């Protein structure tokens, strides 16, 4: 297995690196991952702790890994013309800044402009 310490991004980088291997499908069938959240939000580590009925902390994440608790997780695959990305939890592509920039012409509407 692989244990990472960091935020969600470090696990995403590990998955991206593995996806580029020719034996990716075979490896993913038998590989287990652990994450000790040391990032800003630690969404995945917090979600895993919640699913295990544990409080979230780096110590609790380590405890879950040591106990060998495992569960399957869905991964998303996003493809553009030039790139392919693996994702978990969520995927965004600068949508918020696009909304902000493109809605500048209706700034007079206040916060409502972001909902339109």
């Amino acid at each position: 297995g692989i244990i990472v310490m960091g935020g969600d991004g470090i696990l995403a980088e590990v998955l991206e690196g593995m996806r580029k291997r020719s034996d990716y499908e075979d490896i993913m069938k038998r590989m287990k991952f652990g994450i000790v959240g040391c990032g800003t939000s630690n969404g995945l580590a917090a979600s895993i702790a919640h699913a295990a009925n544990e409080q979230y902390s780096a110590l609790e994440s380590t405890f879950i890994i040591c106990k060998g608790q495992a569960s399957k997780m869905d991964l998303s695959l996003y493809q553009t013309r030039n790139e392919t990305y693996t994702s978990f939890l969520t995927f965004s592509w600068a949508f918020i800044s696009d909304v902000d920039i493109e809605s500048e012409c209706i700034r007079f509407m206040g916060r409502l402009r972001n909902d339109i």
Side-chain angles (χ1 to χ4, degrees):
I2 296 175
I3 299 171
V4 298
M5 293 183 71
D8 296 335
I10 193 71
L11 181 58
E13 289 295 326
V14 169
L15 291 171
E16 282 298 317
M18 291 181 66
R19 191 180 51 75
K20 294 179 181 180
R21 294 176 53 110
S22 61
D23 58 349
Y24 170 74
E25 295 291 330
D26 292 330
I27 288 175
M28 291 302 285
K29 289 177 186 174
R30 63 181 192 273
M31 184 65 65
K32 291 185 180 182
F33 296 90
I35 183 167
V36 178
C38 301
T40 304
S41 298
N42 304 310
L44 182 60
S47 295
I48 291 169
H50 178 76
N53 294 315
E54 301 282 354
Q55 294 294 317
Y56 168 71
S57 71
L59 182 62
E60 292 297 330
S61 293
T62 304
F63 182 59
I64 291 167
I65 293 167
C66 289
K67 289 193 310 187
Q69 288 182 310
S71 61
K72 293 190 181 272
M73 182 175 77
D74 290 330
L75 297 176
S76 301
L77 189 68
Y78 299 91
Q79 294 179 314
T80 67
R81 289 186 183 127
N82 303 319
E83 296 288 334
T84 301
Y85 302 93
T86 304
S87 177
F88 53 88
L89 293 180
T90 187
F91 190 86
S92 61
W93 194 271
F95 178 71
I96 301 300
S97 62
D98 285 349
V99 168
D100 184 43
I101 293 167
E102 296 297 324
S103 67
E104 190 64 29
C105 63
I106 54 172
R107 179 173 284 282
F108 67 90
M109 298 183 81
R111 287 182 161 200
L112 181 60
R113 76 183 177 133
N114 293 325
D115 294 332
I116 296 176

